[in-house]
Amino acid sequence: MKYLFILVSLTYLPFFFNLHGEESANKLEQPLTVNDRKGRWNFQWGYNRSSYTQSDINFRGPGYRYTLKSVDAKDKPESFKPEVYLNPSKFEIPQYNFKFTYFFTDHIFVNFGQDHMKYVVTQGQTVNYSGYIDPLVLQKNLLAPSVEALVFIYLFPNHLQEMAGYHGGEQTIALTPDILKFEHTDGLNFLFADLGWATPLWTASDGQSGISLLSSIGGGAVVCRSDVRVMGKGQNNNFHLSGYGVSGYVATRYDFTRTYFIELGGKGGYIDLFDIYTSGGSNRASQNFGFLELVFSGGVSF
């Protein structure tokens, strides 16, 4: 009887191992879904519209130190032109966004990227200002004014002179080109690193498409190229590390294959620019403000 049991066991043993092997193979052969992201890289490119809170802009240089208060600014989107948006050699003209993403797990990821925003102080607005400006600074600037300021200086010669002397904050001034042109249009470049989490919301029955919610927080350096005219004088400055930013991002992502996806997101944050180039030499400005971005992008996963 004992030998009969051993014989039967040996007879069915290959079948048992074959069955177990088939089950393991079936598990291994299950197709990967769009939610299997561990170890994958993503690259995406897109465009943004941005908005900014009011900010106090502080100006300093030899002979002056003053603040323009609660200044309004807006973005400067490029109108859609195929020869711009579809031309790789002109990628820096629109307000663009790009980032690389690496997934440590199916849910946890890290981003590295750049938001190329544009910031333009609204011309014609009236603001309060405080501080001191040496009258000799204004006279010196009038010897070699910027092209933008010339018309206003000669049509309204007393406008710029209003800024001379001490001001306690009750005075107001209209921000015409003889007083201020202030833009980060090439641009307001936020270089960031984010840590984030991906949450699947819906996955197709075959697992090859789906919708996810992505959220992340992070921060990084802000590099500006500032086009500035202060009291009739200024220049388009070089790129310069001007400050830092922190932000949070939330987006809905649609993967229509495991390789390609599109994403619509919103980013909000805070930027502190403590060293802005203005009119050359040791002349500087500083400001801080909140920002919001609406970002549409597409990408590849590999």
Side-chain angles (χ1 to χ4, degrees):
M1 194 69 181
K2 177 175 70 173
Y3 297 108
L4 179 61
F5 175 76
I6 294 173
L7 181 62
V8 172
S9 299
L10 291 174
T11 301
Y12 285 96
L13 191 60
F15 174 76
F16 171 78
F17 280 112
N18 184 56
L19 180 63
H20 181 71
E22 287 181 358
E23 290 177 351
S24 299
N26 288 337
K27 290 181 180 178
L28 293 174
E29 291 171 4
Q30 289 180 353
L32 295 172
T33 73
V34 292
N35 298 321
D36 295 309
R37 297 185 168 115
K38 181 179 179 180
R40 291 173 69 86
W41 283 92
N42 293 178
F43 171 75
Q44 63 196 95
W45 180 276
Y47 300 99
N48 72 74
R49 288 299 309 269
S50 51
S51 59
Y52 311 100
T53 63
Q54 290 183 329
S55 69
D56 293 349
I57 308 178
N58 308 291
F59 296 90
R60 61 187 184 275
Y64 68 91
R65 181 178 291 267
Y66 68 95
T67 300
L68 299 177
K69 300 184 177 183
S70 301
V71 178
D72 290 318
K74 57 187 178 182
D75 66 347
K76 189 179 181 181
E78 182 74 14
S79 58
F80 182 77
K81 302 172 186 174
E83 64 270 23
V84 173
Y85 280 84
L86 303 180
N87 186 345
S89 67
K90 297 182 178 180
F91 74 92
E92 80 285 356
I93 294 177
Q95 297 178 170
Y96 64 83
N97 303 67
F98 76 84
K99 62 184 173 184
F100 290 92
T101 302
Y102 179 74
F103 282 87
F104 294 107
T105 72
D106 291 338
H107 300 284
I108 301 173
F109 61 86
V110 62
N111 290 324
F112 304 95
Q114 176 186 345
D115 293 350
H116 176 77
M117 297 176 279
K118 297 187 179 185
Y119 178 100
V120 180
V121 167
T122 306
Q123 284 290 305
Q125 64 179 298
T126 299
V127 301
N128 291 82
Y129 64 104
S130 63
Y132 173 72
I133 300 169
D134 189 330
L136 292 178
V137 172
L138 300 179
Q139 295 302 320
K140 183 178 179 181
N141 287 358
L142 289 175
L143 297 176
S146 66
V147 174
E148 298 94 333
L150 273 174
V151 173
F152 285 87
I153 288 173
Y154 289 104
L155 288 180
F156 309 100
N158 295 325
H159 190 218
L160 184 58
Q161 299 302 323
E162 292 178 27
M163 299 195 71
Y166 290 95
H167 305 280
E170 297 79 20
Q171 294 87 351
T172 62
I173 194 79
L175 299 186
T176 49
D178 54 332
I179 303 298
L180 182 70
K181 174 187 176 182
F182 192 88
E183 304 180 356
H184 311 301
T185 45
D186 200 23
L188 183 67
N189 300 297
F190 183 24
L191 311 177
F192 63 86
D194 283 354
L195 183 64
W197 181 270
T199 304
L201 299 178
W202 170 82
T203 306
S205 57
D206 63 359
Q208 299 308 296
S209 62
I211 298 173
S212 301
L213 178 68
L214 282 72
S215 56
S216 62
I217 57 172
V222 179
V223 175
C224 293
R225 186 176 185 187
S226 305
D227 190 358
V228 181
R229 309 293 184 274
V230 178
M231 297 178 291
K233 181 182 177 182
Q235 60 191 20
N236 191 2
N237 294 278
N238 294 323
F239 290 99
H240 173 61
L241 177 60
S242 302
Y244 68 92
V246 292
S247 65
Y249 178 71
V250 177
T252 301
R253 166 170 163 167
Y254 174 56
D255 292 88
F256 47 94
T257 69
R258 289 200 74 233
T259 304
Y260 302 106
F261 63 90
I262 56 175
E263 190 172 296
L264 178 63
K267 175 179 279 191
Y270 167 83
I271 286 177
D272 186 355
L273 303 178
F274 49 78
D275 191 35
I276 303 167
Y277 284 173
T278 57
S279 54
S282 61
N283 298 285
R284 294 289 191 273
S286 62
Q287 64 176 151
N288 53 71
F289 52 85
F291 71 94
L292 286 173
E293 283 184 87
L294 179 66
V295 184
F296 180 76
S297 61
V300 294
S301 179
F302 50 92

